[in-house]
Amino acid sequence: MKRRDFLRTAALAAPAAGLAAPALAQDAPQIRWRLTSSVPKVLDAIFGANELVSKYVSEATQGRFVIQNFAAGEIVPGLQALDAVQNGTVEVAQTPLYYYTGKDPSFACFTTMPFGLNARMQNAWFYHGGGRELQDEFLAKYNLVGFLGGNTGTQMGGWFRKEVKDLADFRGLKFRIGGIAGQVVAKLGVVPQQIAPGDIYAALEKGTIDACEWVGPYDDEKLGFVRVAPYYYYPGWWDGGPTMNVVVNRDKWNGLPKAYQAAFEAAVAYANADMLAKYDAFNPGALRRLVAAGAQLRTFPQSFLDASWKASNELIAEIGAKNAGFKKIMDAQIAFRNEEYLWWQVGEYPYDGYMIRARTRG
C-alpha cells in the first residue's frame, strides 16, 4: 500500500467498504491553516517536515484541508512562534518548546532536558510512558495542543573559536545555548546567549559570542560555522534527543472535523519518524565533509561533563522546589529514563559498542 493511500484511508476512516471517499469530501469543509516555523527554509530536514505534513494532510482530505508553511521571520520571528499560535495569528507552529522556558521551565521537559531522554526514549515516553498526557495537561493552560513533529537525534556540543581543555576554560565564555541548558552552564561560569538560528553565524563571525551549539553535522554544515569556529565538540549532553514540537491552537484544533484531526495526527507522526531517519542518513557524510573543510573534532573535557551533570541535577531540584508542575513532570520523566537505561545497558549499548569496535578493527 502506498503511503498516500494509507494516510487517506486512515484519515477518512470510512465505516463501510462501500462508502466512497469523494462522497465524504463533498460534505467536508474547506479549511486553510498557516504554520510558522522557528527555523529558516535552508534547514531542510527540519523545515521539510512541515512540507510533508501539508502534503499528506491535503492528499488525505482531497485538498479540503490545506496548511501553508512559513519560515522564521516571514510572519513572526522564530522565537515568537508559540505566541503567534496562542494569540491566533497562525493556527500551528513548528518550534522547540524549550525556547519558552522564560514563561515556565516546564516547557523544556517536552523538547529535551540536560542528560535526558534520547530520541527513541522521547517517542516511547510520549506515546507509551505518560508523556503525552502530561504535555496535554500543561499545554491546556496556554490553549495549545502539542505533537511530536520530529527529532534530530543526539546533537553535537557545538563550535568553539578557541579550544577548551578544562573546566576553567569555560568561565566567561559567551556561548549560544538557551533554556534550561543555559541555566546549567551558567552555574559553571558560562555566559549563555539565546539567539535565533538565522542569527547565530553573524554573532559567531563578529565575536559577539565565543561558541555556539546548533544541531549536528548536516545542519551545521549548511550554516557554515566551520569557517569561523574550527573546534567541533561533542557530546551535546543538553540535547540527547531533542523533539521538534508542533503546537496547534486548541480552539482551532477542537473545531476540526475528526477526519481532519486524524489526517493531521497521521501526517505529523510520519514526519516525526522521517526527520530522525534523515539525520541518521545524512550526518555521516556531512561530518566527513566538515572534517575535510577544517573542523577539528574534540570531546568535552571530563571535568566539564562531570560538573555539568552535578549542576544539572542541582538545577532540576531547585526549579522543582519552586514549581510543582515542573517537579511532577520531571519526576515522571527521570523515573522513565532510569528504567529505560536498564534495557539499554544490556541491549542497545553492548551491541553498539561492539559494532563500533569491530568497525575500527576491520
Side-chain angles (χ1 to χ4, degrees), residues 69-83:
N69 299 306
F70 296 88
E74 291 183 334
I75 296 179
V76 295
L79 299 181
Q80 296 177 21
L82 182 138
D83 299 300

Side-chain angles (χ1 to χ4, degrees), residues 28 32 54 71 97 104 109 114-115 144 163 207 260 266 317 326 329 356 360:
R32 298 186 67 87
S54 297
L97 289 178
D104 188 318
C109 306
F115 300 101
L144 300 171
E163 199 168 4
Y260 288 15
F326 176 88
I329 298 165
I356 291 169
T360 59

Side-chain angles (χ1 to χ4, degrees), residues 137-149:
E137 179 183 357
F138 173 72
L139 290 181
K141 296 184 293 185
Y142 296 87
N143 199 36
L144 300 171
V145 179
F147 305 88
L148 300 187

Side-chain angles (χ1 to χ4, degrees), residues 310-325:
K310 182 175 182 292
S312 175
N313 290 332
E314 290 173 352
L315 181 65
I316 289 171
E318 290 166 5
I319 297 173
K322 302 174 184 177
N323 186 320

Side-chain angles (χ1 to χ4, degrees), residues 26-283:
Q26 289 174 3
D27 297 328
Q30 184 75 46
I31 293 177
R32 298 186 67 87
W33 276 10
R34 296 194 302 170
L35 177 150
T36 186
S37 176
S38 287
V39 305
K41 290 180 180 178
V42 68
L43 300 176
D44 59 297
I46 297 177
F47 192 83
N50 303 320
E51 295 166 340
L52 281 178
V53 172
S54 297
K55 171 183 169 64
Y56 291 133
V57 164
S58 178
E59 290 180 356
T61 61
Q62 286 94 55
R64 306 295 291 179
F65 183 13
V66 176
I67 302 172
Q68 187 177 4
N69 299 306
F70 296 88
E74 291 183 334
I75 296 179
V76 295
L79 299 181
Q80 296 177 21
L82 182 138
D83 299 300
V85 177
Q86 227 186 325
N87 63 32
T89 300
V90 298
E91 290 79 14
V92 56
Q94 178 203 51
T95 185
L97 289 178
Y98 67 3
Y99 283 176
Y100 308 99
T101 54
K103 298 176 182 291
D104 188 318
S106 303
F107 274 106
C109 306
F110 304 109
T111 299
T112 189
M113 289 293 292
F115 300 101
L117 306 175
N118 65 25
R120 280 175 52 185
M121 293 176 189
Q122 286 277 23
N123 285 336
W125 183 61
F126 184 83
Y127 291 123
H128 302 292
R132 182 169 193 164
E133 291 76 13
L134 288 167
Q135 179 178 271
D136 285 346
E137 179 183 357
F138 173 72
L139 290 181
K141 296 184 293 185
Y142 296 87
N143 199 36
L144 300 171
V145 179
F147 305 88
L148 300 187
N151 202 298
T152 66
T154 302
Q155 296 186 1
M156 292 290 284
W159 298 88
F160 289 67
R161 291 165 62 94
K162 296 180 180 179
E163 199 168 4
V164 285
K165 297 182 178 180
D166 57 40
L167 184 58
D169 291 337
F170 288 86
R171 297 190 183 105
L173 189 85
K174 292 176 289 184
F175 189 15
R176 186 274 176 189
I177 182 171
I180 299 290
Q183 296 177 52
V184 171
V185 295
K187 284 176 165 284
L188 309 180
V190 173
V191 182
Q193 310 285 316
Q194 181 147 301
I195 301 172
D199 301 324
I200 300 172
Y201 181 87
L204 195 60
E205 182 181 37
K206 294 174 183 177
T208 305
I209 56 176
D210 304 306
C212 74
E213 59 82 31
W214 176 230
V215 177
Y218 183 65
D219 284 342
D220 293 1
E221 181 185 31
K222 292 177 182 296
L223 296 184
F225 299 137
V226 67
R227 296 195 294 269
V228 290
Y231 298 102
Y232 200 19
Y233 278 87
Y234 62 92
W237 49 260
W238 49 84
D239 278 328
T243 293
M244 180 56 67
N245 305 98
V246 172
V247 291
V248 177
N249 181 285
R250 184 172 289 267
D251 295 333
K252 294 294 184 180
W253 176 256
N254 290 337
L256 284 179
K258 292 296 183 183
Y260 288 15
Q261 289 182 349
F264 185 87
E265 287 209 55
V268 171
Y270 177 81
N272 180 46
D274 184 74
M275 185 187 295
L276 183 60
K278 281 191 172 79
Y279 279 110
D280 284 343
F282 300 155
N283 273 332

